[in-house]
Amino acid sequence: MPTNFTVVPVEDVGDEEAEAEGSKPVSLEKIFREENDADTSQGPDSGDETHRESSPFIISDGNTETYYDGKNMALFEEEMDSTPMVSSFLNKLSNYTNLFPGACEHEEGEDDYRRFTSTVPQMGTFIGVYLPCMQNILGVILFLRLTWIVGTAGILGSFAIVFMCCICTLLTAISMSAIATNGVVPAGGSYYMISRSLGPEFGGAVGLCFYLGTTFAGSLYILGTIEILLIYIVPTATVFKGSDGDAWSNNMRVYGTCCLLLMALVVFVGVKYVNKLALVFLSCVILSIMATYAGVIKTLIEPPEFSVCLLGNRSLKNENFEICAKTEDVQNVTVTTQLWSHFCDSQYPNATCDEYFNLNNLTEIRAIPGLLSGVIKDNLWGDYGPAGMVIEKKSQPSVSPEEPAQETDDIYVLNDIATYFTLLVGIYFPSVTGIMAGSNRSGDLRDAQRSIPVGTILAILTTSFIYISCVVLFGACIEGVVLRDKFGFSVKKNPVLGILAWPSPWVIVIGSFFSCCGAGLQSLTGAPRLLQAIARDGIVPFLQVFGHGKANGEPTWALLLTVGICEIGILIASLDDVAPILSMFFLMCYLFVNLACAVQTLLRAPNWRPRFKFYHWTLSFLGMSLCLSLMFICSWYYALVAIVIAGCIYKYIEYRGAVKEWGDGIRGLSLNAARYALIHLEETPLHTKNWRPQLLVLCKLDPELNVKHPRLLSFTSQLKAGKGLTIVCSVLEGTFMTREEDAKTAEQNLKAAMVAERTKGFSHVVVSSNLRDGFSILIQSAGLGGMKHNTVLMAWPAGWKQARDSTARRNFIETVRETTAAHQALLVAKNIDHFPGNQERLKDGTIDVWWIVHDGGLLMLLPFLISLHKVWKKCTMRIFTVAQMDDNSIQMKKDLQMFIYNLRLDAVVEVVEMHDSDISAFTYEKTLMMEQRTEMLKQMQLSRTEREREIQSITDVSRGSIKRKKCSGVDAPPLNTQSIPEDEAQLIHDRNTASHALVSDKATGAPPDRVHMTWTKEKLFQEKNKQRESIGNVKDMFNMKPEYETLNQSNVRRMHTAVKLNEVLVKKSHNAQLVLLNMPGPPKNKKGDENYMEFLEVLMEGLDRVLLVRGGGREVITIYS
């Protein structure tokens, strides 16, 4: 039924005004900070990404006044700004009041006076909750359709309908009471409760459905008003004449549109009159119900005079005749009656008449036999039928004609629509809606925590008793053919309920007319404010314009949209067709109220502490199931349409809506589901068929803390066809205390780069004393439970040769070793900046896989996953393998083709033969150059270490000399021509003692590689001699004939393999879009680390895009289903 719902803008009172008017409570915005500005002309606060409800304290008004005074709490004085004193907190809380979401502020705006805050609410349970719910629940269906439902479905069927609907609303009221008493419910009613309990997506979807339901409720009441007007009050005022359905529908459309425009004008100009007349409308409802009960009691004494005329067992419309007889005696002369002319071709007794009229007699029975008549036995069971069926009294004797009757349908009472049980459920359910009226008024209650549950449940119990008693009393008092007469044609066009009421049918006519008018006005008042509340929340971007309104807060644009949607319902022009639509939207709203309560109860969130204790998740689940069942019982296609509309709104808000964090239950449900899934994943080992790359992406950051290789993230998203986990991480050198802000900035930059490259996953930045330890920590500990990474992706350190030290080389090799030890796969991308972006499309080319050793099948799986992405979709896959001298290359190719076929991969297979050959001079030369370079680097590193030790000893002597000079009061001359500043000497000391101190000093800007040194004369000559020797050795290396027998034969063999493989790779795959290659592992003996990088460089030389792949030691692809 109608929804008394308004959203009131509240302007802030300045601090000075608040202090001057200490008796006034602070405004709603100052407490919960939901709205940015009370003036609706400034638009909704959609740009505020940090919602005010996320504030940890109620006192968040931005007041910088210090609440600390005195010395008793000096221990906490530095935190007073963020954590106020309890006394200040309670003082603010006691001054808080939540305004009634009615139109009091709008009324004051119209009177050119506005109060900034309201007085302390004083409404109790009866006035504030019970009566509004009664007014909203009782309405048009009770007066215009309940008698017809009882006659069509029977007493038992009607009882089942009423019982189901009342139980549904009762269970919903229990859930709503639990939510409404779990804290303060500001203006917003059910929308606020659902959105704050289930999140913005569900809240927006159900809020808009509730808005549509309230809007169509306005159409329902307007159509009811016009039906009463044109049938019972002014039947001659029809514009379109005729007895057919089209003329009636057109009359409903014309008068309904005029009534809608008139009501919209009243709401726009004088909404205060709507609220003031609410008591008058409620009085009309109560008087009508009292008149009905009085009429029932009167039937025990004297039944009403109304009678029904039956021809055989068929009910006749008696509006056009007075006497229920074929003939009558007038002055001893038998003449035909008015009824005769409807069935015969003339007024004479010898006229040709309808056969059924000739065979059956006319009978006149009482329309209301009374409680003691026993008619209840005839009305126990239903009487359904198709449209156009004549309403008959089954117990009355009748003779059917052999031939079809003539066209006399205008005299019989007919079914205007086909009737069946589910249709009646949909038509009846709007009569039990309106249970949210109490929660909408929570701000105006003296004790909302007690009044809302008690008032709402008592109102539902009272109205349920009224409906059930009316079902029984109608069936026990009124004749069945009269009950099935929807419009009262058989009782001279009086409402069926009206002929039962005492003292006159006009009590019901006038009472129901004003009740429908008031309900329509309430709907047109509440629906725009509900839409305005949704628009101001900013969760649906295209609705933001409807958050604007007049200067006094009236939602002008929302009212226009509401009138437009309401007109759609009026154009339907049938109360029976609009009612199921209304039922769908309200049932969906009630369904999600029950879902919200069930979710919150099952999650046992710490904030779930409702005052109302008589709830249980099983009751909420039962109410939710009943709502869903009633939706499909009423109309399965309307139910599907409502679900599709809600689903589309949900996905739209999820995709385009503003990010809001309301502490909703869906987030808690996600956390619980994630926890359960993680625990369940860890219980059982992962099967090969379920293996997918869970990537840990190691990113480098530039000095501005931006991602150095964004194409690494692009390649990550292209690999994500496996839908696995992605963790993008980086490491900063230093300590967390000194680089906390840098870590936050770096993580934000990582997230921004992930969004730009469309990489979905998680980001993390670790601060460590050095990069090697940081990456080691990430490899060991990233992920959680069963959602840990199994693959590490990183870029090839391209500048390792040009680096002054070997840090980059050592970090890379140690990362390879640690991933191997952790049984994780490793992917290393060379020339990552040359890889295609997500917006590029490779029109042709190949993805070449060089399968040299089998390490789990990852080399086969990766190109398949890459080719699923639109960037690589048109590339073909080629698989190469290497055959030695003893291998049968033809058989290898057949076996490989069969293996690829069983793996369900589409690829071209090729076997490359590599025969044993002598090691070339080029290989020896490359090996010699590599070893000479390695030896030279060792000498340079050793010399550097000796220099640092010498500097340390000189620094100690220098400091002791300076101290002695200072003690003697004489300025000390410089120790040598190149003196060492104290801070640089300290830097050298720190580098020799603690690695994290080194990194901290680097962060402060001290140059790490430039060192001022002090030399003795002997040390200077020794160093010059060493440098001449090393330079001479390098010159001799290119002039002399290589001493092959002095080279390490293991290095020679490895270099030979790298050179030969590189020749084949370049020959076959130099034009490939991507080359995937087995990555050889580092030597077990760490003395060969210096040469490992050289081998890899030689192996990849001449190729553009290369992905080195190293398996994790387990099978990741299988031929089995």
Side-chain angles (χ1 to χ4, degrees), residues 942-958 975-976 980 985 988-989 992 1011-1020 1022-1023 1026:
L942 181 62
S943 175
R944 181 179 179 183
T945 303
E946 290 181 351
R947 288 198 301 270
E948 291 180 356
R949 289 178 181 174
E950 182 65 26
I951 292 168
Q952 179 61 40
S953 62
I954 297 173
T955 301
D956 294 340
V957 175
S958 176
L975 182 64
N976 277 307
I980 303 176
I988 299 170
H989 175 72
N992 292 331
V1011 181
H1012 293 279
M1013 294 172 287
T1014 303
W1015 300 94
T1016 59
K1017 189 173 183 180
E1018 294 78 6
K1019 286 289 182 182
L1020 182 61
Q1022 291 178 6
E1023 187 62 27
K1026 288 181 180 179

Side-chain angles (χ1 to χ4, degrees), residues 150-339:
V150 173
T152 305
I155 295 176
L156 297 180
S158 302
F159 181 83
I161 293 173
V162 173
F163 182 77
M164 281 193 305
C165 296
C166 291
I167 286 296
C168 177
T169 55
L170 180 62
L171 294 175
T172 304
I174 292 173
S175 300
M176 183 199 70
S177 299
I179 298 174
T181 57
N182 186 50
V184 180
V185 179
S190 60
Y191 162 69
Y192 183 91
M193 289 188 294
I194 295 172
S195 61
R196 271 57 176 180
S197 298
L198 293 180
E201 292 86 3
F202 278 109
V206 181
L208 286 177
C209 286
F210 191 50
Y211 162 73
L212 292 174
T214 308
T215 304
F216 277 103
S219 302
L220 182 79
Y221 299 126
I222 292 175
L223 290 174
T225 302
I226 302 305
E227 184 176 305
I228 296 170
L229 179 69
L230 295 182
I231 294 179
Y232 305 120
I233 299 178
V234 192
T236 59
T238 55
V239 177
F240 299 90
K241 305 298 180 180
S243 59
D244 59 334
D246 292 337
W248 172 252
S249 298
N250 291 331
N251 285 319
M252 293 286 286
R253 293 185 181 104
V254 171
Y255 279 94
T257 302
C258 295
C259 183
L260 172 63
L261 295 177
L262 181 62
M263 288 185 176
L265 184 63
V266 171
V267 171
F268 179 77
V269 175
V271 70
K272 60 181 178 181
Y273 300 111
V274 177
N275 291 275
K276 291 178 179 179
L277 289 175
L279 186 59
V280 177
F281 300 144
L282 178 60
S283 302
C284 293
V285 175
I286 295 175
L287 287 176
S288 301
I289 294 173
M290 292 176 64
T292 302
Y293 281 111
V296 171
I297 296 173
K298 185 178 179 295
T299 60
L300 295 172
I301 305 171
E302 182 184 0
E305 298 294 335
F306 291 95
S307 59
V308 182
C309 186
L310 300 178
L311 177 61
N313 62 356
R314 298 180 181 180
S315 178
L316 302 178
K317 297 177 181 179
N318 63 358
E319 58 179 318
N320 295 324
F321 62 89
E322 296 294 335
I323 300 174
C324 183
K326 295 181 181 180
T327 60
E328 63 177 337
D329 293 334
V330 179
Q331 297 178 356
N332 295 327
V333 178
T334 302
V335 296
T336 59
T337 61
Q338 293 176 335
L339 191 58

Side-chain angles (χ1 to χ4, degrees), residues 567-623:
E567 177 65 18
I568 296 174
I570 290 174
L571 292 178
I572 296 175
S574 173
L575 186 148
D576 301 323
D577 292 335
V578 173
I581 301 175
L582 177 65
S583 301
M584 289 303 109
F585 292 120
F586 276 114
L587 278 168
M588 180 163 288
C589 177
Y590 295 165
L591 183 150
F592 280 99
V593 169
N594 286 290
L595 176 63
C597 181
V599 167
Q600 296 281 23
T601 305
L602 290 174
L603 290 179
R604 299 178 182 177
N607 190 55
W608 180 245
R609 304 183 302 274
R611 291 280 185 186
F612 181 75
K613 302 298 181 183
F614 303 100
Y615 70 94
H616 195 266
W617 69 269
T618 54
L619 296 178
S620 300
F621 187 78
L622 179 62

